[in-house]
């Protein structure tokens, strides 16, 4: 097959490209330039987007022995990922930009372009697996639970899954590093990236404050009593306990947690841990990674709401518009805008954007 | 299969004579600035090379200053002429230039604007890629006393148009204004005579004509002293310090002699190939446009807009077919920026980003063009499907 390997300059995508080449595919390495003004050097735990990273990707391609190019996706990235991230925060939601990037950049803009140019698909270093079935390729968790990235890939629709190649899904990270070293890839010991790549400082709150301004507002309890003030509601996360700066204790002496953010009134609502309990989750704009579930049919499966969160037993169904999941045991703290991902065992069924919880 | 190389304007294969000269000279011991026999012997080789190149460039040997690259020669000329002019008269801070210079001219000028208070004035250019002489006249008449220098390329590296340097020098010389011209693409391809043009300074480079990388020339009018960029041992009229790169210099001269000996034959053949490339593209691909006028142009450069087909996709697909081309000058390659040259001709950003430069050279053949013709239709179709973002 003819494949485009998206190479960030990190160890995973380098080994993924090498494996695809070794499997006999015709592979071309592409580094995505996602910033108009990339910084020269990596700093902190960022794993892509600097000139140094594109150099690392180029050197990995040299070692693997594949052609290498840089594709400028900075406009698409800015409008689809960065602006969306800001807009969602301004709306009081908690978006995950990595999902958005996979959906709109790596497996939409890049895959579409690759296919138009005569390539069969896109190889990435994500930890996830695909398996052939009578319904085409289906998406599964990686074997390494600690690195599994199926959550952030659950935004791929069925067609996108057909064009996605994840050569690392059957391997644990430590072995990928050893393999990189064995293959002579200089990125073998490059640190993992953790933070959001376009927030260079790693400090989301101050990055958001710089761009969205800081409008002070009230911190209130569930009955609407003012308990304190905040300097910008979007710097709070549902479930957050620390840094609320509230001096009056609760009647029971329990600590307070952020329950929700109300952007219209610029209010942060806090309450006791019990109030964070979520039994039912409603999501909108579902994306099905394989065949869509039957409408109004109830399925047993698992729900995951964070990239490395626990899979939780649930039943789920959809009515053609909204997805509803009922949890067997409650989860604590879930914000609108987060992605809910449904699993059938290890298979990723699909995802939806959390609209409301109860 | 063998690679079809259509990027001779980026760099061109070294000629055999230049390779052997480089290798042979590398085996010779001696710093050309040393006073003993070993040094003198290498110095003799360097001076013979200087004379050979001067003969072909039609300048005095003493007007040749060897540098490490064309970029360095441009920096030395532009910064040196600017600093010297400003020192003699603080009012002289204006640099007149074209909007489609190579980065090696544009960027030192921008640097002077940011750091040294230079004011940059761009002359107008026509949509077919030629400097507007009336505009040059107007600017010189209006600001003669403030102009530190004029720097306009002899021919454009992306579209191949030859500029009216002789006329510009004539207008400028009436007001005693220094004119520098980057002749890196012209030298060896079209007639270039430093003496006949009457320039103050010009830039040449070896690797564009079959010589080695890492050697350039600043031709600087005899007797003119300019402020150096590099300070050190005082080589090259105190304008470019640094040990002379004798092997590269001797190899440069060997390439020059080779070009000299077959100048007309080589360039007519290349021009003929370009015409055949143009006809092939017209035949195989619909709706294309050629950028820059074809009369009075470099023999080997053909710049083509393929509307709707991103240049970086074209480059990748051609590369996969074993054909090397360029989306612009090699320096801005990497992340594809729209060419400032094409933008200055009035192309939209979309069209500028859907353009490719094919450049032919001394090793190009009919079969190169035929092979390109056999794949270009499919390549453009796919690139157009990939579309512009």
């Amino acid at each position: 097959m003819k494949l485009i390997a998206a190479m960030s300059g990190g160890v995973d995508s380098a080994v993924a490209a090498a494996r695809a080449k070794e499997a006999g595919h015709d592979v071309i390495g592409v580094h995505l330039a996602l910033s108009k003004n990339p910084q020269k050097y990596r700093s902190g735990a960022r794993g892509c987007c600097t000139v140094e990273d594109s150099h690392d990707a180029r050197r990995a391609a040299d070692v693997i022995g594949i052609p290498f190019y840089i594709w400028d996706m900075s406009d698409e990235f800015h409008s689809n990922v960065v602006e969306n991230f800001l807009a969602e925060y301004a709306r009081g939601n908690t978006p995950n930009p990595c999902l958005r990037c996979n959906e709109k950049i790596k497996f939409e803009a890049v895959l579409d372009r690759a296919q138009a140019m005569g390539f069969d698909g896109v190889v990435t270093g994500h930890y996830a697996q695909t398996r052939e079935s009578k319904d085409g390729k289906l998406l599964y968790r990686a074997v390494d639970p600690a690195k599994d990235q199926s959550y952030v890939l659950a935004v791929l629709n069925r067609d996108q899954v057909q064009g996605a190649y994840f050569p690392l899904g059957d391997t644990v990270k430590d072995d990928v590093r050893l393999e990189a070293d064995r293959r002579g890839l200089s990125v073998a010991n490059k640190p993992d990236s953790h933070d959001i790549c376009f927030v260079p400082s790693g400090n989301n709150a101050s990055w958001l404050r710089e761009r969205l301004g800081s409008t002070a507002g009230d911190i209130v309890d569930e009955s609407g009593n003012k308990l304190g003030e905040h300097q910008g509601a979007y710097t709070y996360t549902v479930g957050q306990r620390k840094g609320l700066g509230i001096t009056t204790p609760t009647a029971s002496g329990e600590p307070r947690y952020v329950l929700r953010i109300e952007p219209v009134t610029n209010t942060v609502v806090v309450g006791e841990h019990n109030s964070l309990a979520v039994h039912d989750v409603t999501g909108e704009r579902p994306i099905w990674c394989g065949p869509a579930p039957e409408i109004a049919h109830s399925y047993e499966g698992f729900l995951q709401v964070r990239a490395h969160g626990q899979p939780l037993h649930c039943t789920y169904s959809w009515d053609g518009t909204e997805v509803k999941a009922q949890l067997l045991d409650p989860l604590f703290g879930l914000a609108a805008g987060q992605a809910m991902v449904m699993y059938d065992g290890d298979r990723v069924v699909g995802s939806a954007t959390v609209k409301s919880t109860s | 299969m063998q690679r079809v190389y259509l990027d001779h304007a980026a760099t061109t294969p070294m000629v055999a004579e230049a390779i052997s000269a480089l290798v042979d000279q590398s085996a010779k011991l001696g710093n050309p600035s040393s006073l003993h026999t070993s040094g003198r012997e290498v110095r003799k080789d360097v001076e013979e090379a200087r004379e050979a190149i001067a003969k072909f460039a039609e300048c005095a040997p003493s007007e040749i200053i060897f540098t490490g690259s064309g970029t360095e020669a441009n920096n030395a000329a532009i910064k040196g002429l600017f600093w010297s002019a400003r020192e003699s008269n603080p009012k002289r801070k204006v640099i007149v230039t074209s909007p489609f210079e190579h980065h090696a001219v544009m960027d030192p000028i921008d640097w002077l604007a940011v750091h040294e208070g230079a004011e940059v004035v761009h002359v107008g250019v026509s949509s077919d890629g030629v400097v507007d002489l009336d505009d040059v006249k107007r600017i010189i008449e209006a600001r003669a006393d403030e102009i530190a220098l004029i720097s306009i390329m002899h021919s454009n590296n992306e579209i191949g148009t030859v500029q009216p340097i002789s006329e510009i020098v004539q207008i400028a010389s009436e007001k005693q204004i220094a004119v520098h011209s980057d002749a890196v693409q012209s030298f060896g391809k079209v007639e270039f005579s430093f003496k006949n043009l009457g320039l103050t300074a010009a830039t040449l480079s070896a690797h564009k004509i079959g010589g080695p990388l890492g050697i350039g020339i600043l031709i600087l009018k005899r007797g003119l002293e300019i402020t150096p960029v590099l300070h050190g041992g005082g080589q090259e009229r105190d304008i470019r310090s640094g040990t002379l790169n004798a092997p590269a210099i001797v190899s440069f001269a060997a390439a020059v002699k080779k070009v000299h000996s077959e100048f007309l034959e080589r360039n007519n053949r290349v021009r003929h190939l370009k015409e055949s490339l143009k006809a092939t593209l017209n035949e195989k691909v619909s709706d294309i446009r050629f950028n820059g006028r074809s009369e009075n142009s470099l023999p080997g450069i053909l710049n083509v807009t393929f509307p709707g087909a991103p240049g970086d996709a074209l480059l990748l697909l051609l590369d996969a077919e074993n054909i090397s081309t360029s989306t612009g000058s090699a320096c801005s390659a990497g992340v594809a920026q729209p060419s400032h040259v094409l933008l200055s001709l009035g192309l939209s950003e979309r069209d500028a980003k859907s353009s490719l430069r094919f450049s032919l050279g001394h090793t190009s053949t009919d079969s190169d063009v035929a092979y390109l013709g056999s794949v270009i239709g499919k390549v453009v179709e796919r690139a157009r499907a990939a579309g512009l973002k």
Side-chain angles (χ1 to χ4, degrees):
Chain A
M1 267 184 296
K2 290 176 69 183
L3 300 172
I4 291 285
M7 300 179 74
S8 66
V11 61
D12 296 328
S13 56
V15 172
R19 285 186 172 189
K21 164 92 187 306
E22 203 167 76
H25 300 301
D26 192 355
V27 181
I28 285 181
V30 163
H31 177 77
L32 306 177
L34 300 178
S35 165
K36 276 270 179 264
N37 300 299
Q39 305 202 336
K40 276 194 182 154
Y41 304 106
R42 262 188 314 279
S43 60
R46 300 178 69 220
C48 61
C49 310
T50 65
V51 173
E52 197 175 10
D53 292 312
S54 90
H55 173 82
D56 287 347
R58 178 187 301 275
R59 291 295 299 132
D62 289 344
V63 171
I64 299 162
I66 55 173
F68 177 80
Y69 307 92
I70 294 173
W71 283 4
D72 180 7
M73 292 278 165
S74 54
D75 289 337
E76 288 87 342
F77 187 77
H78 191 80
S79 57
N80 281 306
V81 181
V82 181
E83 282 180 359
N84 172 267
F85 182 75
L86 284 167
E88 288 299 314
Y89 262 107
R91 232 172 262 150
N93 291 337
T94 305
N96 183 327
C98 301
L99 273 89
R100 187 85 184 166
C101 179
N102 285 327
E103 178 189 358
K104 295 290 178 187
I105 307 298
K106 289 182 187 142
F107 295 98
E108 188 173 300
V110 176
L111 181 59
D112 284 356
R113 193 165 206 248
Q115 288 176 335
M117 286 167 72
F119 291 87
D120 299 295
V122 171
V123 178
T124 70
H126 285 112
Y127 286 81
Q129 303 186 79
T130 58
R131 286 181 211 150
E132 292 294 342
S133 77
K134 63 175 172 44
D135 295 314
K137 265 162 71 172
L138 299 173
L139 182 63
Y140 289 84
R141 288 190 190 276
V143 298
D144 183 350
K147 287 302 293 183
D148 173 49
Q149 289 176 300
S150 58
Y151 176 87
V152 292
L153 293 165
V155 286
L156 270 60
N157 65 32
R158 199 171 169 178
D159 288 343
Q160 291 170 322
V161 170
Q162 307 314 304
Y165 295 82
F166 307 122
L168 303 189
D170 64 351
T171 313
V172 299
K173 176 80 182 211
D174 287 348
D175 289 345
V176 169
R177 288 202 180 278
L178 289 173
E179 182 177 332
D181 191 44
R182 211 165 48 239
R183 289 178 183 275
L185 295 163
S186 61
V187 289
N189 294 312
K190 192 166 166 176
D192 283 3
S193 52
H194 295 291
D195 295 328
I196 294 172
C197 70
F198 54 86
V199 180
S201 61
N203 185 341
N204 283 4
S206 74
W207 190 87
L208 286 165
R209 207 174 297 125
E210 278 169 31
R211 282 155 187 84
L212 297 174
S214 34
T215 313
D218 291 346
I219 300 179
V220 301
D221 66 15
E222 287 173 89
S223 319
N225 301 314
K226 181 172 172 177
L227 301 172
E229 279 194 0
H230 65 75
Q231 297 300 318
Y234 44 77
T235 59
Y236 293 85
T237 317
V238 172
Q240 176 181 343
R241 190 178 85 173
K242 290 184 178 149
L244 299 179
I246 300 169
T247 46
T248 37
T250 57
S252 62
E254 281 246 333
R256 286 191 176 88
Y257 298 82
V258 173
L259 301 182
R260 60 183 182 272
I261 291 143
E262 296 180 346
V264 177
T265 53
N266 191 28
T267 305
V268 174
V269 183
V270 298
E272 292 184 7
H273 191 251
N274 273 345
S275 303
L276 281 171
V278 170
H279 302 272
D280 297 290
V281 185
T282 302
E284 56 189 353
R285 299 192 304 274
I287 295 167
W288 305 114
C289 310
E294 279 176 46
I295 286 176
H297 188 278
S298 178
Y299 294 86
E300 272 188 44
F302 295 91
L303 181 73
Q304 190 174 322
V305 295
R306 286 185 189 85
H308 295 289
Q310 285 296 314
L312 307 161
H313 268 285
C314 74
T315 58
Y316 62 86
S317 62
W318 84 303
D319 59 8
T321 315
E322 290 185 341
V323 181
K324 291 194 192 308
Q326 277 188 312
L327 291 157
L328 262 58
D329 299 309
L331 71 86
F332 292 86
L334 175 59
Q338 275 179 245
M340 59 188 285
V341 175
M342 284 68 68
Y343 288 84
D344 171 15
D346 278 346
R347 183 174 74 83
V348 187
V349 177
S351 65
T353 307
V354 173
K355 184 184 168 192
S356 60
T357 59
S358 57
Chain B
M1 76 154 276
Q2 233 190 334
R3 188 149 266 279
V4 170
Y5 187 79
L6 298 177
D7 200 15
H8 289 264
T11 195
T12 196
M14 279 180 77
V15 295
E17 292 84 344
I19 295 173
S20 24
L22 185 72
V23 172
D24 294 349
Q25 192 68 37
S26 299
K28 287 196 186 176
L29 172 65
N31 182 325
S33 300
S34 293
L35 304 178
H36 46 62
T37 305
S38 315
R40 274 198 320 274
E41 276 173 8
V42 175
R43 184 56 177 254
K44 170 177 162 283
D45 298 334
V46 166
E47 295 311 324
E48 281 175 5
R50 196 191 303 273
E51 285 159 15
I53 298 169
K55 190 173 164 199
F56 186 51
E58 300 196 5
C59 64
S62 63
E63 290 177 321
I64 288 187
I65 294 165
F66 288 110
T67 64
S69 64
T71 296
E72 191 198 320
N74 282 330
N75 271 269
I78 290 163
K79 292 175 183 167
L81 286 169
F82 175 82
W83 284 325
S84 297
R86 196 185 50 181
E87 204 170 306
S88 65
N89 179 356
K91 258 177 65 188
R92 288 196 185 272
K93 288 197 296 196
V94 171
I95 302 177
V96 180
T97 187
S98 85
F100 54 39
E101 294 297 311
H102 190 279
H103 274 285
V105 165
M106 241 165 68
D107 290 22
I109 291 176
D110 287 348
W111 184 87
L112 287 171
V114 173
H115 297 277
E116 298 285 302
E119 182 193 340
V120 185
V121 176
H122 286 118
V123 300
V125 297
S126 65
S127 60
D128 62 355
V130 186
V131 162
D132 177 355
L133 276 176
D134 290 335
D135 203 31
V136 175
K137 238 177 257 172
R138 261 195 304 277
I139 292 166
I140 291 178
E141 271 164 24
R143 318 212 42 187
D145 300 343
E146 300 165 82
I147 297 173
L149 75 140
I150 298 172
S151 181
I152 291 174
M153 64 203 328
H154 191 271
S155 61
N156 186 279
N157 55 305
E158 291 188 32
I159 55 173
T161 49
V162 176
Q163 304 303 317
I165 299 301
S166 175
E167 290 85 341
I168 293 168
V169 171
Q170 214 165 8
I171 304 166
S173 63
E174 288 166 17
K175 308 281 184 188
Q176 285 85 48
I177 296 167
V179 183
H180 163 256
S181 185
D182 178 350
V184 163
Q185 290 293 344
S186 287
F187 187 58
K189 318 282 172 54
V190 289
E191 197 188 318
F192 174 84
S193 164
F194 185 75
K195 182 183 70 190
N196 291 348
L197 289 170
L199 283 163
T200 315
T203 297
L204 310 179
S205 174
H207 75 103
K208 308 288 192 189
I209 61 158
L213 289 159
I215 187 77
I217 285 175
L218 165 62
I219 310 182
L220 184 67
K221 212 170 210 169
R222 233 181 122 255
L224 190 62
E225 296 303 322
I226 58 170
T227 313
V229 173
L230 296 185
H231 298 87
Q235 292 89 342
E236 300 298 272
R237 284 163 61 183
D238 249 344
I239 287 165
R240 201 279 188 179
S241 286
T243 301
L244 284 161
N245 184 352
I249 289 168
V250 171
S251 176
F252 191 170
V256 165
K257 285 180 198 160
K258 178 75 175 170
V259 176
H260 204 169
S261 69
E262 54 182 41
F263 183 77
L264 278 178
E265 182 275 325
R266 182 198 280 197
N267 289 314
N268 286 341
R269 197 174 57 76
V270 171
R271 190 175 293 281
H272 182 76
L273 273 179
K274 181 172 82 170
E275 290 309 317
S276 126
L277 172 61
K278 212 169 160 178
T280 303
L281 290 174
N282 266 326
E283 182 197 335
K284 303 284 183 185
V285 191
S286 61
D287 185 26
I288 56 173
R289 292 193 288 275
F290 298 100
N291 299 309
R293 70 169 179 202
S294 59
E295 68 278 13
N296 206 0
S297 66
L298 296 178
I301 292 184
L302 187 64
N303 193 302
V304 190
T305 300
F306 298 89
D312 64 340
L314 290 169
L315 187 147
L316 185 157
L317 292 166
L318 285 171
D319 200 7
E321 299 286 355
N322 285 306
I323 301 174
S324 304
T325 58
S326 166
T327 49
S329 61
C331 316
S332 59
V335 173
Q337 299 292 332
S339 151
H340 69 280
V341 175
L342 298 180
L343 294 178
S344 77
L345 306 191
L347 268 73
S348 67
E349 196 164 304
R350 271 175 86 86
D351 280 349
K353 274 187 159 178
S354 329
S355 303
L356 271 193
R357 178 187 70 181
F358 300 96
S359 52
L360 301 147
H362 65 101
T363 54
S364 300
T365 61
D366 287 320
S367 66
D368 290 349
V369 174
Y371 178 67
L372 177 78
S374 73
V375 301
I376 190 72
K378 179 180 67 184
V379 162
V380 174
E381 193 181 314
R382 282 193 172 157
R384 280 181 172 157
L388 273 180
K389 299 171 289 171

